[in-house]
Amino acid sequence: GLIPVLLYAKLGRAPLAWFYPIKPLPFKVQAVSRYLAALGHLLGSSLPVPRFLDLQDPGRMASWLAGHLRCGKSICVTAFASSAVRIAAAAQEKGIPLKGVCFITLGEPFTDAKRRIVEATGARALVRYAFTEAGIIGFGCGTPQVSDDLHLFSDAHGLIQRSRAVGNSGLTVDAFLFTSLLPSAPKVLLNVESGDYGIVERRDCGCGLAALGLRDHISEIRSFEKLSGEGMTFVQTDLLRVVEEVLPARFGGTSADYQVLEEEGQDGILR
């Protein structure tokens, strides 16, 4: 949560609140957030400190949003895609309309099922695509053709694809390779594979980002080396260790007796 708080403050839009799903909050996070809040206060920018919000009780967040919407405010909520779905589903169950809310979703694929649940409440969703070494790669299109249709920030990143095999499955994917040579980039990258693949195309969609010259679109973004759900990422090497060593040692059998399945339920939550 720390990076978005600083980003929005830099843009002159310090967040109203920062909700955190872990309890107790690590001391380091508490200390840093309170230090930044105090520093922000001295510099005339009110920065929030993290507050606990149980993911098992998303109705509280829906009610909090409803209270601010009644004041006539539009609200932007940055959250993992499944967390946004949880909030929207709870709002629908409580009969709370979320018109005026825009979810910026990140951290996992934003699918048609997720979009249907979010938009059923009157809310909107914009997809953000990023990875740590490169920063933000792209943002959702204003006139999307698919749920995760986004504009590549081609002013900052170069993107090519290469066909590569996925393990011993016999499957191949068109993997993303990113390059960034700007002095302002988090890291200098030269054809660095992000572990993701998808569809890359160039078209004029007519939205505001296209008007700025960002004509390259990325969509149907998926990972071939990790599973990510609601902020928890399992990389391939960790999964192999669990399947090949931990489970057979604890429950018997061999690695051939176990498999890992990632699926999205009808409620839009990735498990």
mmCIF file of all heavy atoms in Angstrom, residues 122-157:
data_model
loop_
_atom_site.group_PDB
_atom_site.id
_atom_site.type_symbol
_atom_site.label_atom_id
_atom_site.label_comp_id
_atom_site.label_asym_id
_atom_site.label_seq_id
_atom_site.Cartn_x
_atom_site.Cartn_y
_atom_site.Cartn_z
ATOM 1 N N GLY A 122 -23.008 -0.714 -10.537
ATOM 2 C CA GLY A 122 -22.914 0.640 -11.072
ATOM 3 C C GLY A 122 -21.505 1.190 -11.050
ATOM 4 O O GLY A 122 -21.261 2.298 -11.534
ATOM 5 N N ALA A 123 -20.566 0.427 -10.466
ATOM 6 C CA ALA A 123 -19.173 0.862 -10.406
ATOM 7 C C ALA A 123 -18.479 0.592 -11.736
ATOM 8 O O ALA A 123 -18.989 -0.125 -12.596
ATOM 9 C CB ALA A 123 -18.440 0.146 -9.270
ATOM 10 N N ARG A 124 -17.307 1.197 -11.899
ATOM 11 C CA ARG A 124 -16.469 0.950 -13.063
ATOM 12 C C ARG A 124 -15.152 0.327 -12.612
ATOM 13 O O ARG A 124 -14.827 0.342 -11.422
ATOM 14 C CB ARG A 124 -16.164 2.246 -13.826
ATOM 15 C CG ARG A 124 -17.381 2.914 -14.429
ATOM 16 C CD ARG A 124 -16.955 4.104 -15.285
ATOM 17 N NE ARG A 124 -16.209 5.089 -14.509
ATOM 18 C CZ ARG A 124 -15.050 5.647 -14.905
ATOM 19 N NH1 ARG A 124 -14.501 5.281 -16.037
ATOM 20 N NH2 ARG A 124 -14.456 6.557 -14.153
ATOM 21 N N ALA A 125 -14.411 -0.219 -13.575
ATOM 22 C CA ALA A 125 -13.105 -0.797 -13.262
ATOM 23 C C ALA A 125 -12.101 -0.415 -14.333
ATOM 24 O O ALA A 125 -12.413 -0.428 -15.523
ATOM 25 C CB ALA A 125 -13.201 -2.315 -13.155
ATOM 26 N N LEU A 126 -10.910 -0.024 -13.908
ATOM 27 C CA LEU A 126 -9.775 0.203 -14.789
ATOM 28 C C LEU A 126 -8.656 -0.741 -14.354
ATOM 29 O O LEU A 126 -8.350 -0.842 -13.164
ATOM 30 C CB LEU A 126 -9.272 1.645 -14.704
ATOM 31 C CG LEU A 126 -10.070 2.716 -15.451
ATOM 32 C CD1 LEU A 126 -9.489 4.090 -15.153
ATOM 33 C CD2 LEU A 126 -10.049 2.457 -16.950
ATOM 34 N N VAL A 127 -8.075 -1.434 -15.324
ATOM 35 C CA VAL A 127 -7.028 -2.401 -15.012
ATOM 36 C C VAL A 127 -5.670 -1.710 -15.038
ATOM 37 O O VAL A 127 -5.393 -0.911 -15.943
ATOM 38 C CB VAL A 127 -7.039 -3.552 -16.035
ATOM 39 C CG1 VAL A 127 -5.951 -4.570 -15.713
ATOM 40 C CG2 VAL A 127 -8.404 -4.232 -16.049
ATOM 41 N N ARG A 128 -4.852 -1.992 -14.044
ATOM 42 C CA ARG A 128 -3.468 -1.514 -14.036
ATOM 43 C C ARG A 128 -2.538 -2.709 -14.105
ATOM 44 O O ARG A 128 -2.722 -3.690 -13.379
ATOM 45 C CB ARG A 128 -3.178 -0.716 -12.759
ATOM 46 C CG ARG A 128 -1.888 0.080 -12.840
ATOM 47 C CD ARG A 128 -1.493 0.648 -11.492
ATOM 48 N NE ARG A 128 -0.801 -0.349 -10.681
ATOM 49 C CZ ARG A 128 -0.363 -0.139 -9.433
ATOM 50 N NH1 ARG A 128 -0.584 1.019 -8.864
ATOM 51 N NH2 ARG A 128 0.266 -1.075 -8.772
ATOM 52 N N TYR A 129 -1.565 -2.644 -14.989
ATOM 53 C CA TYR A 129 -0.608 -3.738 -15.150
ATOM 54 C C TYR A 129 0.781 -3.230 -14.787
ATOM 55 O O TYR A 129 1.231 -2.202 -15.311
ATOM 56 C CB TYR A 129 -0.636 -4.253 -16.597
ATOM 57 C CG TYR A 129 0.376 -5.334 -16.908
ATOM 58 C CD1 TYR A 129 0.590 -6.395 -16.029
ATOM 59 C CD2 TYR A 129 1.119 -5.302 -18.086
ATOM 60 C CE1 TYR A 129 1.506 -7.391 -16.313
ATOM 61 C CE2 TYR A 129 2.036 -6.290 -18.384
ATOM 62 C CZ TYR A 129 2.231 -7.329 -17.491
ATOM 63 O OH TYR A 129 3.155 -8.324 -17.768
ATOM 64 N N ALA A 130 1.448 -3.933 -13.876
ATOM 65 C CA ALA A 130 2.773 -3.513 -13.429
ATOM 66 C C ALA A 130 3.543 -4.723 -12.925
ATOM 67 O O ALA A 130 2.951 -5.762 -12.605
ATOM 68 C CB ALA A 130 2.651 -2.478 -12.306
ATOM 69 N N PHE A 131 4.848 -4.602 -12.883
ATOM 70 C CA PHE A 131 5.651 -5.539 -12.100
ATOM 71 C C PHE A 131 6.812 -4.767 -11.481
ATOM 72 O O PHE A 131 7.216 -3.709 -11.968
ATOM 73 C CB PHE A 131 6.100 -6.761 -12.910
ATOM 74 C CG PHE A 131 6.999 -6.492 -14.084
ATOM 75 C CD1 PHE A 131 8.380 -6.618 -13.969
ATOM 76 C CD2 PHE A 131 6.468 -6.170 -15.323
ATOM 77 C CE1 PHE A 131 9.213 -6.397 -15.055
ATOM 78 C CE2 PHE A 131 7.290 -5.952 -16.421
ATOM 79 C CZ PHE A 131 8.672 -6.067 -16.293
ATOM 80 N N THR A 132 7.323 -5.292 -10.384
ATOM 81 C CA THR A 132 8.199 -4.527 -9.495
ATOM 82 C C THR A 132 9.397 -3.931 -10.215
ATOM 83 O O THR A 132 9.745 -2.763 -10.014
ATOM 84 C CB THR A 132 8.688 -5.430 -8.346
ATOM 85 O OG1 THR A 132 7.555 -5.920 -7.638
ATOM 86 C CG2 THR A 132 9.576 -4.659 -7.381
ATOM 87 N N GLU A 133 10.030 -4.716 -11.074
ATOM 88 C CA GLU A 133 11.274 -4.259 -11.682
ATOM 89 C C GLU A 133 11.064 -3.127 -12.692
ATOM 90 O O GLU A 133 11.994 -2.360 -12.961
ATOM 91 C CB GLU A 133 11.983 -5.430 -12.378
ATOM 92 C CG GLU A 133 12.483 -6.512 -11.444
ATOM 93 C CD GLU A 133 11.391 -7.465 -10.976
ATOM 94 O OE1 GLU A 133 10.240 -7.359 -11.471
ATOM 95 O OE2 GLU A 133 11.669 -8.294 -10.099
ATOM 96 N N ALA A 134 9.863 -3.022 -13.251
ATOM 97 C CA ALA A 134 9.612 -2.035 -14.307
ATOM 98 C C ALA A 134 8.688 -0.917 -13.876
ATOM 99 O O ALA A 134 8.638 0.128 -14.510
ATOM 100 C CB ALA A 134 9.023 -2.731 -15.534
ATOM 101 N N GLY A 135 7.914 -1.116 -12.805
ATOM 102 C CA GLY A 135 6.895 -0.142 -12.440
ATOM 103 C C GLY A 135 5.624 -0.375 -13.242
ATOM 104 O O GLY A 135 5.343 -1.497 -13.681
ATOM 105 N N ILE A 136 4.842 0.678 -13.464
ATOM 106 C CA ILE A 136 3.563 0.536 -14.160
ATOM 107 C C ILE A 136 3.803 0.425 -15.660
ATOM 108 O O ILE A 136 4.441 1.278 -16.273
ATOM 109 C CB ILE A 136 2.643 1.734 -13.855
ATOM 110 C CG1 ILE A 136 2.348 1.785 -12.338
ATOM 111 C CG2 ILE A 136 1.336 1.611 -14.634
ATOM 112 C CD1 ILE A 136 1.525 2.982 -11.920
ATOM 113 N N ILE A 137 3.287 -0.647 -16.253
ATOM 114 C CA ILE A 137 3.475 -0.951 -17.673
ATOM 115 C C ILE A 137 2.338 -0.378 -18.512
ATOM 116 O O ILE A 137 2.534 0.063 -19.638
ATOM 117 C CB ILE A 137 3.543 -2.477 -17.888
ATOM 118 C CG1 ILE A 137 4.736 -3.071 -17.137
ATOM 119 C CG2 ILE A 137 3.616 -2.818 -19.374
ATOM 120 C CD1 ILE A 137 6.070 -2.595 -17.645
ATOM 121 N N GLY A 138 1.124 -0.402 -17.977
ATOM 122 C CA GLY A 138 -0.006 0.071 -18.752
ATOM 123 C C GLY A 138 -1.234 0.285 -17.901
ATOM 124 O O GLY A 138 -1.309 -0.182 -16.756
ATOM 125 N N PHE A 139 -2.218 0.992 -18.482
ATOM 126 C CA PHE A 139 -3.468 1.299 -17.790
ATOM 127 C C PHE A 139 -4.644 0.970 -18.699
ATOM 128 O O PHE A 139 -4.523 0.993 -19.923
ATOM 129 C CB PHE A 139 -3.519 2.777 -17.394
ATOM 130 C CG PHE A 139 -3.625 2.996 -15.919
ATOM 131 C CD1 PHE A 139 -2.554 3.468 -15.190
ATOM 132 C CD2 PHE A 139 -4.811 2.723 -15.249
ATOM 133 C CE1 PHE A 139 -2.643 3.678 -13.827
ATOM 134 C CE2 PHE A 139 -4.907 2.931 -13.883
ATOM 135 C CZ PHE A 139 -3.834 3.405 -13.172
ATOM 136 N N GLY A 140 -5.788 0.712 -18.081
ATOM 137 C CA GLY A 140 -6.976 0.282 -18.800
ATOM 138 C C GLY A 140 -7.440 1.269 -19.856
ATOM 139 O O GLY A 140 -7.385 2.482 -19.675
ATOM 140 N N CYS A 141 -7.927 0.734 -20.979
ATOM 141 C CA CYS A 141 -8.457 1.527 -22.079
ATOM 142 C C CYS A 141 -9.822 2.099 -21.691
ATOM 143 O O CYS A 141 -10.593 1.459 -20.980
ATOM 144 C CB CYS A 141 -8.577 0.655 -23.322
ATOM 145 S SG CYS A 141 -9.287 1.480 -24.761
ATOM 146 N N GLY A 142 -10.099 3.310 -22.180
ATOM 147 C CA GLY A 142 -11.394 3.937 -21.903
ATOM 148 C C GLY A 142 -12.529 3.328 -22.696
ATOM 149 O O GLY A 142 -13.703 3.472 -22.333
ATOM 150 N N THR A 143 -12.206 2.630 -23.795
ATOM 151 C CA THR A 143 -13.216 1.943 -24.612
ATOM 152 C C THR A 143 -12.749 0.508 -24.839
ATOM 153 O O THR A 143 -12.410 0.123 -25.965
ATOM 154 C CB THR A 143 -13.428 2.665 -25.956
ATOM 155 O OG1 THR A 143 -12.161 2.787 -26.625
ATOM 156 C CG2 THR A 143 -14.024 4.045 -25.748
ATOM 157 N N PRO A 144 -12.708 -0.296 -23.782
ATOM 158 C CA PRO A 144 -12.086 -1.630 -23.886
ATOM 159 C C PRO A 144 -12.886 -2.600 -24.753
ATOM 160 O O PRO A 144 -14.107 -2.583 -24.756
ATOM 161 C CB PRO A 144 -12.057 -2.106 -22.430
ATOM 162 C CG PRO A 144 -13.198 -1.391 -21.769
ATOM 163 C CD PRO A 144 -13.255 -0.046 -22.433
ATOM 164 N N GLN A 145 -12.154 -3.460 -25.468
ATOM 165 C CA GLN A 145 -12.796 -4.520 -26.245
ATOM 166 C C GLN A 145 -12.952 -5.789 -25.425
ATOM 167 O O GLN A 145 -13.847 -6.585 -25.676
ATOM 168 C CB GLN A 145 -11.997 -4.802 -27.516
ATOM 169 C CG GLN A 145 -12.056 -3.681 -28.550
ATOM 170 C CD GLN A 145 -11.508 -4.107 -29.893
ATOM 171 O OE1 GLN A 145 -10.853 -5.141 -30.032
ATOM 172 N NE2 GLN A 145 -11.774 -3.302 -30.918
ATOM 173 N N VAL A 146 -12.050 -6.000 -24.461
ATOM 174 C CA VAL A 146 -12.145 -7.116 -23.523
ATOM 175 C C VAL A 146 -11.900 -6.576 -22.127
ATOM 176 O O VAL A 146 -11.504 -5.417 -21.953
ATOM 177 C CB VAL A 146 -11.132 -8.243 -23.857
ATOM 178 C CG1 VAL A 146 -11.469 -8.899 -25.190
ATOM 179 C CG2 VAL A 146 -9.712 -7.708 -23.879
ATOM 180 N N SER A 147 -12.118 -7.395 -21.111
ATOM 181 C CA SER A 147 -12.097 -6.916 -19.730
ATOM 182 C C SER A 147 -10.766 -6.313 -19.303
ATOM 183 O O SER A 147 -10.733 -5.376 -18.507
ATOM 184 C CB SER A 147 -12.481 -8.062 -18.775
ATOM 185 O OG SER A 147 -13.837 -8.392 -18.938
ATOM 186 N N ASP A 148 -9.649 -6.861 -19.800
ATOM 187 C CA ASP A 148 -8.345 -6.346 -19.369
ATOM 188 C C ASP A 148 -7.612 -5.641 -20.505
ATOM 189 O O ASP A 148 -6.378 -5.630 -20.557
ATOM 190 C CB ASP A 148 -7.486 -7.461 -18.771
ATOM 191 C CG ASP A 148 -7.122 -8.537 -19.797
ATOM 192 O OD1 ASP A 148 -7.730 -8.555 -20.892
ATOM 193 O OD2 ASP A 148 -6.221 -9.344 -19.513
ATOM 194 N N ASP A 149 -8.356 -5.033 -21.408
ATOM 195 C CA ASP A 149 -7.770 -4.275 -22.518
ATOM 196 C C ASP A 149 -7.098 -3.017 -21.962
ATOM 197 O O ASP A 149 -7.750 -2.173 -21.356
ATOM 198 C CB ASP A 149 -8.879 -3.895 -23.509
ATOM 199 C CG ASP A 149 -8.349 -3.199 -24.752
ATOM 200 O OD1 ASP A 149 -7.127 -3.052 -24.884
ATOM 201 O OD2 ASP A 149 -9.185 -2.806 -25.590
ATOM 202 N N LEU A 150 -5.782 -2.900 -22.137
ATOM 203 C CA LEU A 150 -5.083 -1.735 -21.597
ATOM 204 C C LEU A 150 -4.073 -1.187 -22.588
ATOM 205 O O LEU A 150 -3.661 -1.861 -23.544
ATOM 206 C CB LEU A 150 -4.421 -2.064 -20.257
ATOM 207 C CG LEU A 150 -3.453 -3.241 -20.165
ATOM 208 C CD1 LEU A 150 -2.043 -2.828 -20.539
ATOM 209 C CD2 LEU A 150 -3.471 -3.822 -18.762
ATOM 210 N N HIS A 151 -3.673 0.057 -22.364
ATOM 211 C CA HIS A 151 -2.692 0.728 -23.200
ATOM 212 C C HIS A 151 -1.298 0.529 -22.627
ATOM 213 O O HIS A 151 -1.060 0.796 -21.445
ATOM 214 C CB HIS A 151 -2.989 2.231 -23.276
ATOM 215 C CG HIS A 151 -4.190 2.572 -24.091
ATOM 216 N ND1 HIS A 151 -4.112 2.962 -25.410
ATOM 217 C CD2 HIS A 151 -5.513 2.575 -23.783
ATOM 218 C CE1 HIS A 151 -5.328 3.199 -25.876
ATOM 219 N NE2 HIS A 151 -6.200 2.974 -24.908
ATOM 220 N N LEU A 152 -0.384 0.059 -23.456
ATOM 221 C CA LEU A 152 1.013 -0.027 -23.067
ATOM 222 C C LEU A 152 1.602 1.382 -23.005
ATOM 223 O O LEU A 152 1.402 2.186 -23.914
ATOM 224 C CB LEU A 152 1.786 -0.864 -24.093
ATOM 225 C CG LEU A 152 3.313 -0.858 -23.965
ATOM 226 C CD1 LEU A 152 3.747 -1.596 -22.710
ATOM 227 C CD2 LEU A 152 3.957 -1.463 -25.207
ATOM 228 N N PHE A 153 2.316 1.685 -21.929
ATOM 229 C CA PHE A 153 3.002 2.971 -21.834
ATOM 230 C C PHE A 153 4.266 2.904 -22.691
ATOM 231 O O PHE A 153 5.391 2.767 -22.189
ATOM 232 C CB PHE A 153 3.333 3.294 -20.381
ATOM 233 C CG PHE A 153 2.133 3.673 -19.557
ATOM 234 C CD1 PHE A 153 2.211 3.726 -18.174
ATOM 235 C CD2 PHE A 153 0.918 3.983 -20.159
ATOM 236 C CE1 PHE A 153 1.105 4.084 -17.409
ATOM 237 C CE2 PHE A 153 -0.189 4.344 -19.411
ATOM 238 C CZ PHE A 153 -0.099 4.390 -18.029
ATOM 239 N N SER A 154 4.054 3.004 -24.007
ATOM 240 C CA SER A 154 5.148 2.829 -24.963
ATOM 241 C C SER A 154 6.130 3.994 -24.941
ATOM 242 O O SER A 154 7.199 3.910 -25.544
ATOM 243 C CB SER A 154 4.584 2.638 -26.375
ATOM 244 O OG SER A 154 3.674 3.676 -26.700
ATOM 245 N N ASP A 155 5.769 5.087 -24.237
ATOM 246 C CA ASP A 155 6.726 6.173 -24.068
ATOM 247 C C ASP A 155 7.827 5.801 -23.086
ATOM 248 O O ASP A 155 8.883 6.436 -23.051
ATOM 249 C CB ASP A 155 6.010 7.436 -23.581
ATOM 250 C CG ASP A 155 5.295 7.207 -22.255
ATOM 251 O OD1 ASP A 155 4.730 6.109 -22.074
ATOM 252 O OD2 ASP A 155 5.292 8.120 -21.413
ATOM 253 N N ALA A 156 7.583 4.776 -22.297
ATOM 254 C CA ALA A 156 8.540 4.388 -21.254
ATOM 255 C C ALA A 156 9.076 2.968 -21.422
ATOM 256 O O ALA A 156 10.145 2.645 -20.895
ATOM 257 C CB ALA A 156 7.894 4.520 -19.873
ATOM 258 N N HIS A 157 8.337 2.106 -22.132
ATOM 259 C CA HIS A 157 8.715 0.698 -22.213
ATOM 260 C C HIS A 157 8.645 0.203 -23.646
ATOM 261 O O HIS A 157 7.707 0.532 -24.382
ATOM 262 C CB HIS A 157 7.798 -0.177 -21.349
ATOM 263 C CG HIS A 157 7.680 0.272 -19.934
ATOM 264 N ND1 HIS A 157 8.666 0.042 -18.998
ATOM 265 C CD2 HIS A 157 6.704 0.954 -19.297
ATOM 266 C CE1 HIS A 157 8.293 0.567 -17.841
ATOM 267 N NE2 HIS A 157 7.107 1.132 -17.991
#
